[in-house]
Structures are given as structure tokens and as C-alpha cells.
Amino acid sequence: MKPAAFEYLAPRSVEEAVALLAERGEDAKVIAGGQSLVPMMAFRLATPAALVDLNGVSELDHARVDRDTLVLGATARHRSVQELAGLRERCAMVAEAVGLIGHPPIRNRGTAGGSIAHADPAAEWPALLLALDGEVDAMGPGGRRTIAAADLFRTYFTTALAPDEILTEVRLPLPAGAVGSAFVEVAQRHGDFAVAGAGALMIVADDGSVADARLVLIGVRDTAVRSVAAETILRGASPTDPVLDDATNAIRSEIDPVSDVHGSSAYRRRVAIAVARRAVTLARDRAHAAVA
Amino acid sequence: MDVTLSVNGVSRTASVEPRITLADVLRDELGLTGTHVGCEHGVCGACTVLLDGRSVRSCLLFAVQAAGQEVTTVEGLAAADGTLHPLQKAFHDAHGLQCGFCTPGFLMAARELLDENPSPTESEVRTWLSGNLCRCTGYQNIVDAVLLAAERMRGAP
Amino acid sequence: MTTRLFGERVARSEDRRLLTGRGRYTGDFEPAAAHAAFVRSDFAHARITGIDVAAAQAVPGVLDVFTYADLADGFADRLPLLVPSDKLIAPRTQHALAKDEACYAGEVLAMVVARDRYVAEDALERIVVEYEPLPAAVDLDRAAGPNAPLAHLDMTDNLAGLVTEETGDVDAAFAAAPHVYDWTLRMERSASMPIETRGVVARYDEREDRLLVHDATQAPTGVRFGLAMLFGMDPDRVHVVAPDVGGGFGVKVIQFYPEEVLVPWAARRLGVPVKWIEDRREHFLGSNHERGQIHHVHVGAADDGRILALEDRFLHDTGAYCSYGLILPIITAAQLPGPYDLENYRYELRSIFTNTVPTSPFRGAGRPHAAYVMERVIERVSKELNLDSLDVRRRNFVKEFPHHVGVTFQDGGPTVYDSGDYPKGLATLLEQLDLERTRTEIATARAEGRTVGLGFGAYVEGTGIGPYEGASVSINPDGTVSVATAHGSQGQAHETVFAQVVADELQVPFERVHVTTGDTRRLGFGVGTFASRTAVVAGNAVLLATTEVKRQAAAVAARILEVAPEDVVFADGAIHVAGAPDRSIPLGRLAMASNPTRYAFGADAEEGAKLSQLAYEGGDRPLPEGSHPGLAATEYYSPTSGVFGFGFHAALVEIDLETGHVDILRYVVHHDSGRIINPMVVEGQIHGGVAQGIGGALYERIAYGEEGQMLNATFMDFLMVTAAEMPRIEEVHTETPSPNNPLGIKGVGEAGTIPVSATIANAISDALNTPVDHMPVTPEEVLTLAGKIESP
């Protein structure tokens, strides 16, 4: 399980990285944390002719909360996000999701940008980006562009990023007000990719009704997915248990889990509904606590 | 290409292909065979080392990526005079190892934990170490060893 | 002063090197060696019609590429059958490199030797194999049935072996039984999965005509004699060392895996050291598995739950080959009765070839299945008859020892339990569990709507089988004691426990006893570390050799001290005259004195050398007849029969009916392996065994697709438990000594694993009030059993 040979390129700037990537063409790959790419290379499922390593590009190494936005450079580690002061209070969903990514050595090395660009349907960052209506910046030979979360994820491991583009920054707007949120996963073992997972966020208005609700699911179809059906039921409603039941049952039409060695489609459906219910319940209870 | 890293405080240079993992360079080029390779796909944790003080899988890192950084391996855990680190001592006292193959990875992961959290609960230790696989001990004595080391380190002047 | 370490929690002498990164594992040797890598069959079953290695040969850094056509003489033969049996209908073992038919995905077809492993893998990609795919037998039920795809082209069915045995009069007992039941129980395939993979490093020195092999094996002596035969070399010129071995659990004792033959062969042929360190993918595809069995039990019970008759017809999945013969299903059959006295018992085992990785023992070795079947039978009979299953267990217990089970044991002799006290063991478990309080807690939890259940499992484990092990013990001039046994530890602390035995006997400080294991340069004859036998068999050999050295030392000391040998006392690393501690000789000086030669360095040795004249004084020559120089002995111990440990487990589980997750709230273990040398080590063995058992009950299975492709050959998909899943194990012991060996001990290595599937299955069954007849139980299966989702 040794990787095939490749040319190693260590640019010092985004500009240089983009140029190197364009020069080497489609056989080149960008590496940030490498926690998904390197195992694939070890199995020789990925055999890039060149690796453009972003780790030496210092302008990409930042993680901060700018007023109401979580801003992450492409090489910000999961761990750096965990270390942002007050993030859990500000948006529990993000803190909980990041805590569910693998194990400490994976979080020390892996990056949010890499996870989003890799677009594993069971990964947490794409779900967070979708749930928070975030956006990413991408830099290519034609310049910089911004891609909204809703336009980014196409299907399994496929995004709207062009092969010659580099994801440079991730921005996640953090809602203010009486917000409650949570991220819940079920995996057979701690730290494994989830059988199914759900992130929920709820803002409660003064009258107790739901001012805003987000529900995102992972591991249930070809990309992470926002449940429009559930959110529609929740918005404007009083978030009672029966309403939460209705909302989470509504995800059925939006998910299409595959059967694999860890469980059948039917099993994943059941788990998806269970985690959705748990996440939404936690989000509601936390939103209520925030009001009080 | 030449890569220079600081390993356990000593500057070391090796001439390697970019595709050679840090684990293989430590073992084969630098003769530090205490770092073990168990799966080469980042799951078992046997190859865990510290990179600038943070635990990483040395099988998921190319040696060239570690250039200029500080790598700490199990060989760097004990004091220069051979005095065992409290974790090593606690693993011995609590029978926290059997075949010993996964042990270096556990020690390095546990060291990062105790660096950050000198008073972990049992549950925190179990969660933190869940990225390291051991097939011999059932983990109980490993967990007890880490708790024992933490207690002793807190008690130290 | 007499000290006694036997029974003490002595911290291990192995630890320091292992904790400081100075362990010596197979992969740590020969850093400059060339590396081997193997082309493995992509298909579960295929004719190999051609292998083109030209492009691989041309890769810079490749030394050579080999296929079957390159092998000659013994190397071209099929690999040996490790455990022959006249019940084996079709003894099939594989070629070192497949000749013209591949019978499992992963079977080795070609070998590359290159500058390093990276280059070797580059070359693998350039080898083109022409396959003619054949139908594959994969599913055990189907492979055993009519019109099954054939696992081997030259066979007409897939039956590897068939054994039937009966004790009592089973038919008559069924005819008289008031209650008769038929149940089917299944256990899926799993694997040992040590964290260190296998590995072989070989160096052939042409000038000296010597072959030295480092092999991560549990049995170096057999590898050595086998290689000597294959190469036509004097065994003294072939040595095999099992250095520190990073876990075994059975998978590292096959003699021979193809790589164990091919790596030394290539080293000799190419004239360079060759190293092969198996990678994890290879380990999944090319190292043996175990566990797949299907049991059809027919049970006759009395009104009070006594088992009047039991018939078990079962299938055993032997995989593509059967180098281990029928040993696994025979162990299952022999150990199925467990602690129960089955007067009328009959089994029919059929070992079936499938186009999957071959099977051989994995910790427990056929016994987890036996305990699972028997304990499910006990639970179901109790349920059917509305009886307390603990009462039913007590009613069926074996009460008198020795107890003849009535069927053949794995060593070919009768299965005879040497000693035990099952009622006491169960009572000890229940006391730790606090049965009444636990039952009250369960009732309370259920009233709150929680899904909780309590399960029990019992087992008897035959350990310490022959044929023999040896030990060599010698006292050195510096007062240290060198001990060697033939077979290594894969974590079982042999260096420590054997040193405890020696230190006790010779009354030398523990630190002065140095134990070497697994090096044929030190001890050439031995069998292997497996079947929970090393502490028992090699441990008693250590005792015998130490006793002999002690006799020699007493004789020499007596002459020097001018007393009778009976009148000397061993104490504090010296020998003194009884009642006169000042008339003493340190053991090191005595060792010097007992060797009439001149090589003394240092005052103490000089003193000893002077004494050598006294040591053999009065004889007709410097070294009198019947004596030999030094204080050294090699002795062998051969047990008359196995010795049987036993125990009981209890699990309290809670089930999440939304996700199928099983949470083990409590796990309590009772264990009895006779006298205990080192309780700390025994507890560690139990912990590890239970963890593998919990893995086997809830997480681990090797999954194959219909075409015989392994579906989960990664650590992301084959789920071994981590610290986060493991409950804290509560452990209690009793000690019922074995009358069969001088130390009174029994083996413990596999004990922890054996009853876990049974215990967890019974607990889940109790929680869901439904039978659990298929292991492991995945979360999905829990939900299926609970009626929450449709069976896929």
C-alpha cells in the first residue's frame, strides 16, 4: 500500500498554486490535509502525476469569526475551528459537527476546505456549508469566483469546482438571535463516517413560533442535502413534538440512501429519521433556552 | 529530494522521493523503528507521532510535507537520561501493553491529550484514544494507565 | 529468606524496550533488504491462462519477477498439510504460487522483488494476468448444497471432510424425551487481525551456507525444519527467529503461508536479503480467517430442562484450502457440551470448501461457536419450558471429575475434563453481578420503557495440549540465569511469567532471569504458541529444566561445601549449608566452578575457577562420568492430556430501538484457569479476549459479495472495537488447580473470547424477547429482530 510516484509541488502563494495546477493539467491534484486523498493514494485508487501542496501557502492558513461569519482559509484545520473561542456558544451545530470528524490526529491535519472540495456525502463540512447558506471562493486561471453552497455540490465526490480551480476560502454565516442548533450522527463506532447524520438549526420568534429552521442530512444520498420539506413544515409553526415528528418524517421523500456493507437503504432511512428528530429536538430546546 | 526535519530535537536530513511517507522515512531512513505501521490508510493509529506537538498519522503525511517541522516519536518520549515519561511508567505499572505494537501510537496520542487536558475523565480518555486500535488489551488497562499517568503528573511538583 | 513470585502481580520485563521504541519486530530487521510484493488473484475462482511479467521486469529497481514456472523441486509442490486426518476427504493445500487455478481472491500468483516496496508495487501494476473466470462457491449453505458451484475444478462437490461421532444412545433418548426442538444457528466469518501484519525477512549467507529468517510467526521451529527440508540444508544451517511479534491470535501459525517459503527462496536465489512486510490489504486477502459455521441442532429436553439428547449437524467453512485439516470443526464438536453433562450427544460435521480465504484458528478456534450454540440451546429450552435458565444450567452441570465427554478431542485422544467446580464458578459470577439487584434494576428500567436485557454464557476451554514443549535453563558466571523456550510471545508475557517460575525455584532475583523466546538458535525443538498452551506446556518444561539445574547445582555445591546435596539451601542467589548461611557460594561462582576451564575475568570468577578443582574432586578425570560442564539443562514436558479451564460471563445491555445500537451497561466475567502465575497478565488476557468477543458479537465480520469479492477489506469497513465502545470489564476468579501438571495451571489465552457471542446473544434475546440465532448482530439486525425494519 505505497503511493505511486508523483511530482511534488510546494507553491508559496495562491497565484503560484493556480499556475502550477494549470500547467500540470488534469493529472495534478491539490493536497491540503490529505486525510482522504493519501489513503486513496495508498490503495492506488488515486494516482495523481503531481501534487500541489497548499500547506506552504500562508495566506490560506486562517480561521476566524468575522462579526457574523466563520471564515476559513483552505488549509484551516478542523482543529483550528475547534479552538475558536466561543464557537460552541455561537453555533453548537458547527462545534458538534467538527468534533465528530474522525479522531484528534485526523482533525489536527484535515481541513474544512479539503472536506468540502472532496464532497463526500457522509462528511460534515459540506453539510454545514449547506445548512448555513455558506459560500466558497475558488481561484482559477480565469480569476476568483464565489460559489454559493447550493450551487456547489453536484453528486458523489463531485463539485462545481473546475479541475484547474483551487478552493481558497470558506465562509459560513452564523445566524444571530434566539438560535439553537445541533449536529447528531449515528455510526457503529466512535469517529467513523456516519451511517446517517443530521444538523439542525432553529430560530424562535418572540411569539414562540419558528422564525427560521434548517435541517441538513448526511450519508443519505449522493450529496449532503437540505430538507426543504422539513424546513417548510417547521417555519412559522409552533415547534411542538408532533410538529417535529411531521417535519422529520417529511425527509423520507428527499433521501435515497444506498445499501452497503454497513447497512441497507431501509436501515439508513430509519437512522436518518432518528438522527433528524434528535437534532431538531436539540435545536428547538437550545433555541428555547436561548430565549430564556 | 532532500528533506530536513527536526526529530526528537535533532536535525536530520534524508534524501527521499516525495511519495515516501513520514512513517517510512522515520523507520527506514532514520532508523527510528519505534513508530509502527499497521494499516497505511490512517485508521489504526500505530504510526501516530507528534508534528509540532500535535498528533498526526505519519502514514498519511509525506515526509517532504514535514520539512522544517518538529517531529516527536516514541524514542523521544523518555528523558535523555533514560528516565521513563510518566505515561511510559504508568503503562508498565498498569499492564497497559501486551504485544507492544500499537503502544507507541497510544503513547503519542495520550501525550497530546495530557498536554492539553491534565485531568481527563475516563470517558474523555476513551473518546480521545478511539482513533487508536489495540487488538490485545481490550483497552481497559490502557485507559487506566493514562488516568494513572495524569494523576501522577498532576501530583508532580 | 524464601521469596515467592508465583501468583504475584509482577510487572513485565518485556515492557521497557516496547515502551521506548526499542522493540524488535520483524519489520525492524534488514533495513537495506530488497522488498517483495505479490500479485494476487482478482477473482475468487479462475483458470490462470497466462502471466506476462515483461513490463514489470523492465521497471528500474526490479530485481526479478517470479511465477509458478520458476519454482522447482519441493517449491513447486503444494504446501504441506499441517494437520492431516483420515476424515479429510479432499486434502487441498495451495501452491506457493498458483499453478493454473486460483481458488480465492487474494491467492498469490506472482512475486516481485525490487529495491524497495514502492518500486515493487509499481511493478505489480505492470504485470498482466490472463484469467478465465470460473463460477465461485461463496455462500456456505449454497456451497454445501446440491448443484453448487465447485470451489476446485478437480472435485465433484465441495466436501473437504466429514466426521460423525456419538456418545450414549441418542435415538433412544430422543424417543423418550418429552420435549424436542429444532433450531438453526449461524456465525459469520471473522479474522484475528493483529495490528502487526505478517512479515518475513530472509538472509542467505553463501560463504557460510546459512539461512537466517525473521518471521512474525507463532511457531518458528516448524518453519525452520520445513525450510531445511525444502532447501535440502542441514537444519543447523537454517535458523528462524520470531522476534517481538505484534499480536497473533492464531493467524500467524500456519506453516506454511506461501510467503514464508517464497521469501527465503528468493533471498537464496537472488543472493540478497529479501524482506516482505504484509500490508493491511494483503492481510485481509491473504491471511487466514475463521468463524463461519451453520449449526442445525436437534434437542431433547426433560420437563425440568435437563438436556436428554443433543444432535448437532453443522457446516464449517474451511475456505479455499484446508492446511489445518479438520481441527476447527473438531474443536467445535468436542467443546460443544461445555460445562454440561450430555449423556446422549451426536454430531455430524461437514467441512466445506468455498472460494474464499482459507480458515485456521482465530482466538477461540471453533469454541465461540460451540459456546454460542450450547448457550442458546440452554436459553431456548428454558424459555420454552418457562424455567430460570440459571437453574437449567445448574441442573445440567458436570459435577464429577475427571469427566469423559465421550467424543474425540482436538489432540486425537478422548475429551476428558481434568478438574472444575462449575456451581462455585457460577455463584462467584452471580455474586459479583448482584443478581437480585440487577433484576430489580432491569424491572425498573423496563417500566420506564427502556429496552434492557441480561444474558449469560458459560464455557469450558481445553488448553495445554501436547505434544510437547521444551526449555533450556543455564546459570551464568555472573549469576544471571538464561532461559530459552522455543516459542515466542505475541504479547502474553512469557518472558515475565517464565522468569517468575525460575526465580522462585532457584531463589534468584527476578531481574537476573533473562528469558529468550522464539529463536531456534537457542532452542530448536518445539511446537508453537497456540491453543492456549504455552504457559502450561512450556511453563512446565521451564520448571523441569530449572529443577534439573537445581539438582546439578546442589551436587556441585555439596562437594565444595563438603555436605550432602540434601543439606544445601538455595537463597538470595546463592547456595548455603542448611543452618549455616555463612557457608555459602553465589550461584555465579558455582557456575564457574562447575566448568573446569580457564577464562576467568574478575575476582569472583577467579575464585570460582579455583573451586572447580574441588567441584569434581575425587573423580578419575577432570569431568567425571555422568556430569557435564556448567549448570545447564534442557528438558521437555509432554502433557498426558489437555487441561480444561472454565468460566461464566454476564452482560447487561440496553438497546436503542431507533438506531439498533446495543450499549453494554455491564460486563462481568468469572474465570478459572487453575493456579495463576501472574494475575495481572491473566486479567490482561481476559480483557483482550472479551474485546475480541464483543467485536465478534456486535461489530466484526468479513463480508463477501456473491462473486467472492471481499467487501470490507479495510479498517474503515472491518470494524474492530475501540476504547470508546468497550465497557469496563468486571472480573472475578476462582482457582481450581489442574491435577495433570506440576504447576497446576491451565491455559487462558483464548478464554475471554469464547462465551461472549453467547452472552451478548442471550442478553439481546432477553431484551427483545426474541431468539438471536445469527452472529454478529449488527444494529440493522437488531432492528430487524425487533420488528422495526423489514429484513433486507
Side-chain angles (χ1 to χ4, degrees):
Chain A
M1 288 176 55
K2 307 293 187 190
F6 56 84
E7 184 188 8
Y8 178 71
L9 301 162
R12 312 300 293 181
S13 68
V14 172
E15 209 172 44
E16 193 190 343
V18 168
L20 287 169
L21 192 58
E23 219 174 274
R24 297 307 190 282
E26 293 207 7
D27 290 341
K29 270 217 163 276
V30 172
I31 184 169
Q35 303 299 288
S36 297
L37 177 59
V38 181
M40 288 168 67
M41 291 173 70
F43 283 106
R44 298 203 181 197
L45 297 171
T47 53
L51 277 189
V52 178
D53 188 350
L54 299 184
N55 287 290
V57 181
S58 53
E59 64 193 285
L60 295 177
D61 183 16
H62 56 270
R64 61 177 187 274
V65 178
D66 267 356
R67 285 198 296 277
D68 289 332
T69 305
L70 175 61
V71 181
L72 304 171
T75 61
R77 317 285 175 194
H78 308 306
R79 181 56 173 274
S80 314
V81 178
Q82 287 189 294
E83 286 173 350
L84 289 171
L87 184 66
R88 185 170 293 272
E89 294 69 30
R90 190 68 205 271
C91 191
M93 177 168 68
V94 176
E96 287 173 357
V98 177
L100 289 166
I101 300 173
H103 305 281
I106 304 293
R107 297 196 291 269
N108 285 338
R109 193 71 196 162
T111 65
S115 170
I116 288 166
H118 186 52
D120 188 319
E124 291 81 0
W125 278 111
L128 293 172
L129 194 72
L130 283 169
L132 296 170
D133 292 324
E135 58 187 20
V136 301
D137 282 349
M139 184 79 140
R144 186 180 303 273
R145 65 173 177 140
T146 298
I147 309 170
D151 301 325
L152 185 60
F153 302 105
R154 296 279 165 82
T155 183
Y156 295 104
F157 305 104
T158 308
T159 67
L161 289 164
D164 59 0
E165 280 185 313
I166 292 172
L167 186 156
T168 54
E169 191 170 272
V170 179
R171 288 185 297 275
L172 299 158
L174 304 175
V179 189
S181 72
F183 207 98
V184 177
E185 288 183 5
V186 166
Q188 275 208 64
R189 295 181 306 183
H190 184 85
D192 282 346
F193 273 111
V195 169
L201 182 147
M202 200 180 281
I203 301 177
V204 181
D206 291 343
D207 65 357
S209 67
V210 176
D212 192 7
R214 324 267 180 91
L215 177 63
V216 67
L217 300 154
I218 62 172
V220 294
R221 54 176 299 159
D222 60 342
T223 66
V225 59
R226 277 277 288 274
S227 173
V228 176
E231 291 178 7
T232 306
I233 291 171
L234 289 169
R235 282 202 193 96
S238 176
T240 59
D241 283 350
V243 170
L244 300 199
D245 282 338
D246 284 351
T248 46
N249 281 322
I251 71 171
R252 288 171 198 277
S253 60
E254 296 165 308
I255 64 178
D256 182 20
V258 293
S259 297
D260 68 11
V261 71
H262 300 302
S264 68
S265 179
Y267 168 64
R268 283 172 192 270
R269 278 182 172 275
R270 181 176 177 85
V271 172
I273 291 166
V275 291
R277 182 67 162 85
R278 287 174 191 184
V280 172
T281 305
L282 275 169
R284 175 196 64 189
D285 295 349
R286 287 169 178 174
H288 282 158
V291 173
Chain B
M1 55 195 287
D2 280 352
V3 57
T4 299
L5 7 135
S6 168
V7 183
N8 302 325
V10 179
S11 178
R12 306 284 299 265
T13 301
S15 180
V16 297
E17 275 186 87
R19 63 168 160 169
I20 313 290
T21 63
L22 177 61
D24 283 346
V25 168
L26 290 171
R27 292 179 49 77
D28 298 336
E29 304 296 325
L30 305 180
L32 295 168
T33 54
T35 298
H36 296 151
V37 173
C39 76
E40 295 182 290
H41 56 285
V43 183
C44 79
C47 70
T48 304
V49 300
L50 302 185
L51 186 70
D52 289 340
R54 289 284 169 83
S55 65
V56 295
R57 308 283 203 228
S58 63
C59 74
L60 295 189
L61 195 67
F62 300 110
V64 291
Q65 296 185 287
Q69 296 177 69
E70 172 65 41
V71 178
T72 311
T73 70
V74 68
E75 289 92 343
L77 204 50
D81 68 356
T83 306
L84 294 181
H85 184 278
L87 274 164
Q88 291 169 313
K89 180 80 172 65
F91 269 63
H92 177 62
D93 293 341
H95 189 28
L97 68 157
Q98 289 182 27
C99 81
F101 196 80
C102 70
T103 309
F106 271 95
L107 288 169
M108 301 319 284
R111 185 177 145 180
E112 184 190 32
L113 169 66
L114 297 190
D115 282 350
E116 294 183 10
N117 180 0
S119 310
T121 62
E122 175 173 345
S123 161
E124 285 170 336
V125 173
R126 285 183 181 272
T127 303
W128 187 276
L129 295 180
S130 65
N132 290 69
L133 296 176
C134 169
R135 198 60 166 162
C136 292
T137 64
Y139 304 100
Q140 188 152 317
N141 290 351
I142 293 177
V143 171
D144 288 347
V146 174
L147 292 169
L148 177 63
E151 188 188 313
R152 288 174 176 170
M153 287 165 79
R154 288 195 303 273
Chain C
M1 192 186 84
T2 303
T3 57
R4 188 145 177 85
L5 296 176
F6 194 107
E8 294 297 315
R9 307 178 72 87
V10 178
R12 304 196 320 165
S13 25
E14 292 88 339
D15 287 353
R16 191 174 174 96
R17 69 172 187 273
L18 302 179
L19 285 165
T20 53
R22 295 202 314 274
R24 302 175 304 261
Y25 299 88
T26 299
D28 303 340
F29 290 86
E30 301 279 6
H35 275 254
F38 296 91
V39 176
R40 293 170 186 275
S41 176
D42 291 333
F43 291 90
H45 197 192
R47 265 198 200 89
I48 308 302
T49 53
I51 303 179
D52 183 352
V53 302
Q57 292 274 21
V59 172
V62 168
L63 276 65
D64 214 338
V65 183
F66 304 111
T67 64
Y68 180 80
D70 296 298
L71 302 176
D73 305 325
F75 294 97
D77 295 340
R78 288 183 183 271
L79 295 169
L81 183 67
L82 185 58
V83 190
S85 160
D86 56 1
K87 304 285 172 38
L88 208 50
I89 294 162
R92 285 288 181 290
T93 59
Q94 66 189 100
H95 288 99
L97 292 168
K99 188 177 177 188
D100 48 20
E101 181 186 1
C103 293
Y104 63 96
E107 184 164 353
V108 286
L109 309 180
M111 177 191 204
V112 172
V113 182
R115 183 181 68 218
D116 60 41
R117 176 77 186 201
Y118 289 79
V119 174
E121 291 191 23
D122 294 346
L124 291 187
E125 296 194 315
R126 288 164 179 77
I127 292 174
V128 182
V129 180
E130 284 175 39
Y131 297 97
E132 187 187 302
L134 297 165
V138 181
D139 178 73
L140 178 55
D141 249 336
R142 171 124 203 265
N147 304 317
L150 296 174
H152 292 276
L153 275 176
D154 62 343
M155 288 181 64
T156 54
D157 60 21
N158 293 319
L159 187 61
L162 173 73
V163 186
T164 55
E165 254 191 301
E166 175 167 348
T167 183
D169 187 339
V170 173
D171 290 332
F174 272 118
H179 310 280
V180 174
Y181 310 102
D182 283 287
W183 295 311
T184 296
L185 296 126
R186 292 162 197 272
M187 189 173 278
E188 286 197 50
R189 177 178 275 250
S190 188
S192 300
M193 215 52 68
I195 307 299
E196 181 203 38
T197 54
R198 292 189 296 118
V200 183
V201 182
R203 168 186 284 267
Y204 176 71
D205 185 322
E206 196 176 354
R207 266 169 296 190
E208 289 206 54
D209 186 26
R210 276 180 201 283
L211 178 66
L212 177 62
V213 178
H214 286 86
D215 186 349
T217 176
Q218 297 172 226
T221 51
V223 175
R224 175 216 190 189
F225 283 118
L227 288 176
M229 264 189 242
L230 269 177
F231 284 108
M233 288 173 73
D234 180 337
D236 283 347
R237 301 198 166 279
V238 179
H239 281 292
V240 178
V241 181
D244 288 322
V245 175
F249 319 113
V251 72
K252 290 177 178 170
V253 55
I254 300 307
Q255 304 163 65
F256 285 83
Y257 279 108
E259 302 90 350
E260 284 177 307
V261 170
L262 293 170
V263 172
W265 175 81
R268 190 166 144 156
R269 175 161 169 145
L270 297 173
V272 297
V274 177
K275 180 171 186 169
W276 169 71
I277 302 301
E278 181 182 57
D279 67 28
R280 188 53 62 183
R281 186 170 173 278
E282 290 182 285
H283 189 78
F284 274 103
L285 297 173
S287 286
N288 288 6
H289 302 159
E290 207 220 294
R291 296 282 199 262
Q293 288 186 355
I294 300 171
H295 290 254
H296 302 284
V297 287
H298 188 47
V299 185
D303 292 334
D304 67 354
R306 274 180 303 119
I307 308 297
L308 301 176
L310 182 76
E311 180 185 51
D312 185 10
R313 287 174 297 113
F314 69 98
L315 302 177
H316 172 77
D317 180 357
T318 194
Y321 298 103
C322 59
S323 71
Y324 243 88
L326 296 171
I327 215 74
L328 281 166
I330 285 173
I331 295 174
T332 304
Q335 307 252 270
L336 192 106
Y340 309 114
D341 190 357
L342 299 187
E343 275 180 40
N344 303 293
Y345 168 48
R346 177 165 66 210
Y347 71 82
E348 175 201 273
L349 73 83
R350 292 200 292 149
S351 185
I352 304 296
F353 285 121
T354 56
N355 293 112
T356 60
V357 171
T359 66
S360 63
F362 156 34
R363 197 180 207 163
R367 300 180 191 88
H369 327 54
Y372 170 58
V373 170
M374 194 65 224
E375 292 300 307
R376 284 300 302 144
V377 164
I378 293 282
E379 285 293 334
R380 289 192 76 159
V381 165
S382 307
K383 186 96 184 161
E384 293 283 347
L385 299 176
N386 201 21
L387 299 167
D388 182 331
S389 73
L390 294 171
D391 290 337
V392 171
R393 284 185 175 85
R394 291 186 190 100
R395 256 171 229 139
N396 282 290
F397 275 155
V398 169
K399 293 175 187 79
E400 286 174 19
F401 297 88
H403 168 75
H404 287 256
V405 175
V407 297
T408 306
F409 192 47
Q410 66 196 89
D411 60 6
T415 307
V416 185
Y417 296 174
D418 55 324
S419 66
D421 187 342
Y422 305 149
K424 183 178 168 191
L426 181 55
T428 307
L429 177 93
L430 296 178
E431 192 186 335
Q432 173 66 28
L433 178 67
D434 196 342
L435 180 63
E436 288 321 308
R437 211 187 75 200
T438 304
R439 283 185 167 156
T440 307
E441 285 168 4
I442 291 171
T444 308
R446 284 179 177 165
E448 292 166 1
R450 293 162 60 195
T451 309
V452 295
L454 178 64
F456 295 95
Y459 70 99
V460 165
E461 186 203 4
T463 72
I465 53 168
Y468 73 89
E469 285 298 336
S472 99
V473 174
S474 56
I475 299 174
N476 301 314
D478 64 357
T480 60
V481 183
S482 296
V483 180
T485 58
H487 291 298
S489 155
Q490 302 84 43
Q492 303 92 325
H494 295 154
E495 289 175 38
T496 304
V497 295
F498 294 159
Q500 286 178 251
V501 171
V502 173
D504 275 357
E505 286 304 309
L506 294 177
Q507 286 297 302
V508 296
F510 173 76
E511 299 72 27
R512 282 198 212 159
V513 185
H514 303 149
V515 180
T516 302
T517 66
D519 187 337
T520 64
R521 294 172 296 192
R522 294 292 311 279
L523 191 64
F525 288 91
V527 182
T529 298
F530 58 88
S532 304
R533 64 189 294 278
T534 301
V536 180
V537 190
N540 279 293
V542 167
L543 177 67
L544 294 182
T546 310
T547 306
E548 168 57 18
V549 168
K550 202 173 166 181
R551 189 197 62 75
Q552 295 168 8
V556 176
R559 282 193 290 272
I560 293 171
L561 297 169
E562 298 176 318
V563 293
E566 304 79 58
D567 293 334
V568 299
V569 175
F570 288 73
D572 304 324
I575 295 186
H576 67 75
V577 176
D582 53 325
R583 290 180 63 200
S584 86
I585 309 177
L587 284 177
R589 194 180 298 174
L590 194 67
M592 200 69 205
S594 66
N595 181 8
T597 179
R598 294 284 178 271
Y599 60 93
F601 287 97
D604 203 51
E606 269 177 37
E607 195 59 34
K610 277 184 219 156
L611 290 175
S612 71
Q613 291 153 24
L614 293 175
Y616 300 108
E617 203 177 26
D620 60 343
R621 59 192 91 179
L623 196 59
E625 240 176 295
S627 54
H628 65 70
L631 302 174
T634 299
E635 297 287 337
Y636 295 88
Y637 173 73
S638 179
T640 52
S641 65
V643 288
F644 288 75
F646 64 97
F648 299 88
H649 289 196
L652 179 64
V653 303
E654 175 159 12
I655 293 170
D656 179 336
L657 289 179
E658 288 189 324
T659 66
H661 180 77
V662 177
D663 191 12
I664 302 171
L665 303 176
R666 281 185 76 191
Y667 201 90
V668 186
V669 172
H670 157 269
H671 169 255
D672 188 324
S673 58
R675 292 176 67 209
I676 292 176
I677 305 176
N678 186 329
M680 193 179 77
V681 169
V682 167
E683 286 163 18
Q685 289 295 309
I686 296 287
H687 292 166
V690 170
Q692 289 184 358
I694 287 175
L698 296 173
Y699 298 92
E700 297 165 15
R701 67 192 179 104
I702 297 277
Y704 273 101
E706 284 177 16
E707 306 294 316
Q709 302 296 326
M710 203 183 299
L711 302 177
N712 59 347
T714 75
F715 274 176
M716 283 172 280
D717 296 316
F718 179 83
L719 306 178
M720 298 196 286
V721 291
T722 78
E725 285 75 47
M726 274 301 292
R728 180 159 284 275
I729 297 160
E730 303 169 46
E731 198 173 330
V732 286
H733 292 270
T734 54
E735 292 192 41
T736 310
S738 173
N740 284 15
N741 65 66
L743 290 173
I745 61 179
K746 302 177 179 185
V748 66
E750 299 169 271
T753 304
I754 295 169
V756 184
S757 274
T759 305
I760 299 284
N762 285 339
I764 294 172
S765 179
D766 183 47
L768 299 177
N769 196 24
T770 189
V772 176
D773 294 333
H774 178 197
M775 297 307 276
V777 193
T778 62
E780 171 155 11
E781 289 197 355
V782 169
L783 294 184
T784 307
L785 287 169
K788 299 294 180 184
I789 52 173
E790 294 290 313
S791 179

